[in-house]
Amino acid sequence: MSLKNQLSDTMAIAIASGHSRASVLLDFYHLYRGGNSFDSLRLINGKILPVFHINDYPELPPRTELRDSDRVFPGDGICPFNKILPLLYDSGFRGGLSVELFNKGYWGTMDVKEVLRKSFEKTTQVINSSMG
């Protein structure tokens, strides 16, 4: 089975679970990587999402060739946060944003405290510039 990062599949699985507290954990990278339209987030009740992974991705390699390790700090790539964060907020999302990075380049050049500091600062900048 090939995973294609499709939001429609993710939501179908959560709905099919039939559990009253079912939810999903989404992230900007996988939505982009799967070729999903960010506009489809309008169809989700953001109130049920406890957390959303925030990360960014570079323009190259092309979307279909991106790997998890290509993720970069929020604001350092091409993710249209100024469109997506207001859309997510309008859907009712009030959960947490969790930075998710697997970039080995960061591991080799920064200690944990520096990665945490940069993650916090860059995420805060993206939120402030996107939400007005």
Side-chain angles (χ1 to χ4, degrees):
M1 178 172 143
S2 173
L3 297 177
K4 299 188 189 304
N5 301 309
Q6 293 298 302
L7 180 59
S8 57
D9 293 338
T10 302
M11 297 310 296
I13 291 167
I15 291 166
S17 77
H19 195 283
S20 63
R21 295 181 60 198
S23 187
V24 295
L25 175 56
L26 303 175
D27 73 70
F28 299 116
Y29 165 82
H30 281 110
L31 288 170
Y32 175 72
R33 176 71 172 85
N36 297 279
S37 168
F38 288 118
D39 287 323
S40 61
L41 290 173
R42 294 181 194 281
L43 301 171
I44 294 176
N45 178 359
K47 293 176 186 174
I48 67 161
L49 301 176
V51 67
F52 206 104
H53 284 165
I54 187 169
N55 40 49
D56 211 334
Y57 40 83
E59 186 172 5
L60 294 173
R63 178 186 62 79
T64 56
E65 296 175 22
L66 282 171
R67 298 187 182 279
D68 285 342
S69 60
D70 293 321
R71 296 180 215 193
V72 294
F73 288 113
D76 285 356
I78 61 168
C79 186
F81 290 112
N82 61 336
K83 173 185 178 178
I84 304 168
L85 287 175
L87 194 154
L88 197 55
Y89 187 84
D90 289 346
S91 79
F93 178 72
R94 300 297 185 273
L97 292 172
S98 170
V99 177
E100 183 180 51
L101 301 169
F102 300 105
N103 191 316
K104 293 178 185 175
Y106 297 160
W107 302 346
T109 60
M110 292 179 257
D111 65 22
V112 172
K113 288 182 181 180
E114 185 175 0
V115 172
L116 289 171
R117 182 186 53 75
K118 282 190 172 208
S119 295
F120 177 79
E121 289 172 358
K122 289 180 174 284
T123 300
T124 301
Q125 288 171 356
V126 163
I127 292 168
N128 289 339
S129 66
S130 298
M131 299 303 290

